[in-house]
Amino acid sequence: MNASQSFLLAIDLGTSGPKVGLFTAQGDLVAYEYQPVPLHLLLGGGAEQAPADWWQAICTATRRLLAQRLVPVERILALCCTSQWSGTVAVDAEGQPLMNAIIWLDTRGAPYIRRALRGFPEVQGYNLGKLLAWLRLTAGVPGQAGKDSIAHILYIRHEYAEIYRHTFKFLEPKDYINLRLTGKFAASYDSIALHWVTDNRDLRRVDYSPRLLRLVGLEREKLPDLKRAVDILGTLTPQAAEELGLPPSVQVVMGTPDLQSAALGSGAAGDFEAHLYIGTSSWIACHVPFKKTDLLHGICSLPSAIPNRYLVADEQETAGACLTFLRDNILFHTDELLTQAATSEIYQIFDRMAARAPAGSGGLIFTPWLYGERTPVDDRNLRGAWFNLSLRTTREHLIRAIYEGVAYNTRWLLGYVEKFVGRCFQALNVVGGGAKSEIWSQILADVLERPIRQVKDPILANVRGAAYLAAVALGVLKFEDLSGRTPIAHTYTPNPDTRPIYRALFREFLEIYRRCAPLYARLNRGPEFEAS
């Protein structure tokens, strides 16, 4: 079959569930389907999902998409997966999960990774010798909040010794889905990075470092072999083909985590071309041609989906999740006060209400640290709050303050990312579910003081990026074709009238962090302080 006349399937396994998209071989969207999956938040900082739920949702969405008969299934040539990153699936030799997947929000491994990092002489909780080894080989270092994949594995080793002993491989979510698709155990150079046990100095030969494995006490045989994101892993197993409704001849591309696929799907794929993602979490990222580390603010350049390229990113843990919190925990919580069911239009209603409040929300400041923070500070104890409530505060103020609070935190990230790359971004392409909001895009432009380019169909950036990656793997596209390929729906320019307000409130936002961080450390020092 002529690759340029065929079609591609792309899977984006997000925290809320997978999107499955059908694309032309050139990466143009035909249609997509979405299927939600449950998230289990546990006492003690646990966050888990069931791998069986992932697979069932992918099969359901894929079959629903194919049932539309938009193209002949025999013309679907390849499939590529992207997914949430920094998750851990422990599987046995048959590929069966031994427990729920521990996902990127989970902090239960914090005490174990901190123990592995320490030792005299010590710098900011890191033994100096270990720190230098990590920085030299990986460009980064495991975070102390326990959210990296290596911390999940150490948690399993200490708390579930029998499961650890029977684990054949520890896999990232994307690599587990690839196992279900092909029957092959493998990881990509980029997906393995947050295990912090690979030598990333030569991107042509990323491999496990015996020294780093020894530092964390992890056996090499419990980790998968490594490939490039653009490599063909294999074809579908007969069982996977039957469950998905696809021909067994479909080729599976290695794929990449969500942060890397968003960089491709945002249309900002060249060096120093930045994108801003607003989804459950949020990040600013861009490709760079160098390996570098900012230890103080948790920024480093890690392997990209593009061969021989690094990607730098600064992430905040909760962004769109703050609006979901407002919807589910405050406005539409299921109790005796519930008078109206939350609708699918609730976020558009939030937009209209936020637009009615003044810039700065009357001095109300929201801190979006509902599940701790990763960067530019690594602190699992931080929490969210509205500051400066008064009797004149309305629901419009509360909603707009969430939009603005995420924007203040993004400005905090932006300063360190721009310093890291050595230049100011002329504009940022914004993607993710939050990017659909016109008022949020304008607030971001005003607070960041940068033009914000709203990508068309921004919620599909990750799945589009996976399709682009498959198109490159098949030789239909080249990576240099991707910059500017994604259409921009609208560009929001900063409003100079709001600049004094937002500059002043941003300074107070930072002051809130400085003054409240010790308080949060005291309030959240143990599981007895957690709400049940």
Side-chain angles (χ1 to χ4, degrees), residues 185-506:
F185 300 88
S188 51
Y189 295 167
D190 46 3
S191 69
I192 203 68
L194 295 185
H195 289 67
W196 301 108
V197 291
T198 50
D199 185 341
N200 303 330
R201 290 175 295 177
D202 184 350
L203 291 180
R204 297 167 297 180
R205 292 188 296 273
V206 174
D207 202 356
Y208 295 106
S209 162
R211 181 177 183 186
L212 297 182
L213 289 167
R214 286 195 302 271
L215 288 183
V216 294
L218 183 58
E219 301 96 323
R220 163 64 183 88
E221 58 268 22
K222 289 190 179 292
L223 296 173
D225 291 339
L226 302 179
K227 296 180 178 292
R228 302 180 306 163
V230 293
D231 289 339
I232 302 295
L233 179 60
T235 55
L236 294 176
T237 66
Q239 181 179 351
E242 181 180 355
E243 292 185 60
L244 294 167
L246 291 168
S249 58
V250 169
Q251 300 178 82
V252 178
V253 180
M254 271 303 300
T256 190
D258 54 5
L259 195 147
Q260 289 87 342
S261 63
L264 304 179
S266 72
D271 284 347
F272 307 111
E273 295 178 355
H275 81 271
L276 167 61
Y277 176 86
I278 302 286
T280 301
S281 61
S282 176
W283 61 70
I284 298 172
C286 71
H287 288 95
V288 293
F290 51 74
K291 175 176 168 288
K292 184 179 175 181
T293 306
D294 176 357
L295 180 63
L296 291 177
H297 304 104
I299 311 174
C300 63
S301 42
L302 294 173
S304 162
I306 302 176
N308 304 319
R309 296 270 290 286
Y310 290 101
L311 187 75
V312 57
D314 211 358
E315 183 200 13
Q316 67 184 76
E317 293 293 70
T318 49
C322 299
L323 285 181
T324 304
F325 161 81
L326 178 69
R327 180 194 67 186
D328 296 343
N329 292 34
I330 296 179
L331 298 183
F332 296 101
H333 185 64
T334 304
D335 57 22
E336 63 272 21
L337 297 179
L338 182 66
T339 58
Q340 176 184 349
T343 68
S344 59
E345 289 79 38
I346 189 62
Y347 295 112
Q348 289 89 337
I349 295 172
F350 285 170
D351 282 357
R352 294 198 295 270
M353 294 177 71
R356 294 200 293 267
S361 302
L364 185 67
I365 296 177
F366 176 77
T367 59
W369 309 313
L370 294 177
Y371 215 75
E373 190 51 278
R374 186 185 293 261
T375 57
V377 291
D378 187 11
D379 190 340
R380 66 195 291 261
N381 293 317
L382 292 183
R383 293 294 182 266
W386 280 282
F387 285 83
N388 206 28
L389 288 161
S390 77
L391 289 176
R392 301 184 67 180
T393 300
T394 66
R395 291 206 290 192
E396 284 87 350
H397 291 107
L398 292 172
I399 294 168
R400 186 181 182 102
I402 289 181
Y403 288 56
E404 292 172 338
V406 171
Y408 298 145
N409 210 77
T410 303
R411 177 165 176 166
W412 198 13
L413 304 181
L414 178 66
Y416 292 115
V417 174
E418 290 186 331
K419 183 177 180 180
F420 186 93
V421 302
R423 64 192 67 196
C424 291
F425 299 127
Q426 297 305 304
L428 290 93
N429 289 12
V430 63
V431 295
K436 294 191 296 183
S437 168
E438 294 181 6
I439 184 64
W440 209 349
S441 296
Q442 185 61 56
I443 288 171
L444 286 163
D446 294 344
V447 172
L448 302 184
E449 299 182 20
R450 304 285 188 279
I452 294 293
R453 295 191 295 228
Q454 183 185 49
V455 169
K456 184 180 179 182
D457 299 321
I459 200 170
L460 300 179
N462 292 354
V463 72
R464 184 188 299 116
Y468 286 163
L469 192 59
V472 172
L474 295 180
V476 178
L477 292 178
K478 297 179 180 179
F479 282 115
E480 49 266 34
D481 299 331
L482 303 186
S483 289
R485 181 176 181 85
T486 303
I488 301 300
H490 187 75
T491 298
Y492 298 84
T493 57
N495 179 357
D497 294 339
T498 65
R499 188 170 300 160
I501 299 170
Y502 284 136
R503 285 184 176 181
L505 291 176
F506 175 64

Side-chain angles (χ1 to χ4, degrees), residues 28-267:
D28 298 320
L29 178 69
V30 178
Y32 81 99
E33 289 287 339
Y34 165 75
Q35 182 69 23
V37 295
L39 168 65
H40 310 289
L41 297 178
L42 312 173
L43 288 178
E48 298 179 353
Q49 290 184 308
D53 290 343
W54 291 342
W55 180 250
Q56 185 57 52
I58 287 170
C59 292
T60 299
T62 302
R63 285 190 165 276
R64 197 161 61 233
L65 180 62
L66 298 179
Q68 299 176 39
R69 301 185 183 279
L70 300 170
V71 302
V73 293
E74 62 270 15
R75 292 183 64 187
I76 298 175
L77 189 60
L79 184 158
C80 184
C81 180
T82 184
S83 79
Q84 54 176 289
W85 198 15
S86 193
T88 301
V89 187
V91 299
D92 63 18
E94 302 302 315
Q96 296 300 313
L98 298 173
M99 61 184 294
N100 272 351
I102 298 176
I103 70 163
W104 58 278
L105 284 167
D106 198 294
T107 62
R108 291 174 293 178
Y112 306 110
I113 190 62
R114 289 174 182 170
R115 190 181 307 165
L117 298 173
R118 288 173 180 161
F120 181 81
E122 198 169 285
V123 178
Q124 295 185 1
Y126 296 91
N127 168 265
L128 183 58
K130 296 176 183 179
L131 177 62
L132 293 176
W134 263 304
L135 294 179
R136 182 172 65 89
L137 296 174
T138 71
V141 66
Q144 298 183 38
K147 297 183 179 182
D148 293 341
S149 309
I150 184 58
H152 302 160
I153 295 174
L154 294 181
Y155 169 74
I156 294 171
R157 187 173 74 189
H158 286 85
E159 300 291 336
Y160 298 93
E162 194 67 11
I163 288 178
Y164 183 88
R165 189 169 67 84
H166 285 96
T167 297
F168 178 64
K169 300 292 180 187
F170 290 104
L171 300 175
E172 281 281 338
K174 181 263 297 182
D175 300 320
Y176 169 75
I177 299 303
N178 279 348
L179 173 65
R180 292 296 301 260
L181 293 169
T182 67
K184 296 182 178 180
F185 300 88
S188 51
Y189 295 167
D190 46 3
S191 69
I192 203 68
L194 295 185
H195 289 67
W196 301 108
V197 291
T198 50
D199 185 341
N200 303 330
R201 290 175 295 177
D202 184 350
L203 291 180
R204 297 167 297 180
R205 292 188 296 273
V206 174
D207 202 356
Y208 295 106
S209 162
R211 181 177 183 186
L212 297 182
L213 289 167
R214 286 195 302 271
L215 288 183
V216 294
L218 183 58
E219 301 96 323
R220 163 64 183 88
E221 58 268 22
K222 289 190 179 292
L223 296 173
D225 291 339
L226 302 179
K227 296 180 178 292
R228 302 180 306 163
V230 293
D231 289 339
I232 302 295
L233 179 60
T235 55
L236 294 176
T237 66
Q239 181 179 351
E242 181 180 355
E243 292 185 60
L244 294 167
L246 291 168
S249 58
V250 169
Q251 300 178 82
V252 178
V253 180
M254 271 303 300
T256 190
D258 54 5
L259 195 147
Q260 289 87 342
S261 63
L264 304 179
S266 72

